[in-house]
Amino acid sequence: MSRGHIYECSLRDPVWHLDGLQTEGKVYIDPRTSILETLIHELMHRRHPRMREMAVTREARLLLGKMDEATKRKWWNAYRRVRKLRRPINVDLEE
């Protein structure tokens, strides 16, 4: 998280439901979902770009499940410090 470039904004896509998105070193978090799980998930994509989606999802859930409340609070506070609020982003993931 220390690298910054973490943005909180609505993510809109006509096909997909997106909780978060990591692209070009930037992380976008949709605040309507579970922010901490989504944040961990997207940061794992940043750190391990070749890791498969299901593996990232599984690892993010495991890490979040192992965190005690104090650790979750630290992550939440760190997220609140570095996030930048943005307008909604229209995402077109069609390939």
Side-chain angles (χ1 to χ4, degrees):
M1 260 196 297
S2 63
R3 288 176 32 192
H5 303 290
I6 297 175
Y7 304 97
E8 183 177 294
C9 58
S10 288
L11 298 172
R12 300 175 181 161
D13 184 80
V15 179
W16 300 97
H17 167 79
L18 299 171
D19 297 331
L21 178 69
Q22 188 280 136
T23 181
E24 299 175 4
K26 296 177 183 172
V27 173
Y28 300 94
I29 305 295
D30 193 325
R32 299 173 292 180
T33 61
S34 173
I35 290 177
L36 282 182
E37 184 178 340
T38 304
L39 177 63
I40 293 168
H41 179 100
E42 297 304 331
L43 290 173
M44 288 187 72
H45 273 304
R46 181 193 280 177
R47 187 167 189 164
H48 306 286
R50 292 195 170 118
M51 197 174 202
R52 293 184 178 189
E53 186 68 24
M54 292 300 291
V56 170
T57 299
R58 183 178 54 246
E59 288 298 316
R61 287 182 181 158
L62 285 172
L63 284 172
L64 187 63
K66 291 178 182 178
M67 286 184 184
D68 61 0
E69 290 303 313
T71 304
K72 288 178 184 176
R73 194 172 323 114
K74 286 179 186 177
W75 273 74
W76 175 253
N77 290 334
Y79 166 75
R80 301 279 297 180
R81 274 193 311 275
V82 300
R83 74 171 180 169
K84 296 176 181 96
L85 299 177
R86 299 211 28 191
R87 290 188 173 159
I89 294 176
N90 290 315
V91 180
D92 186 8
L93 296 178
E94 290 184 32
E95 295 180 27

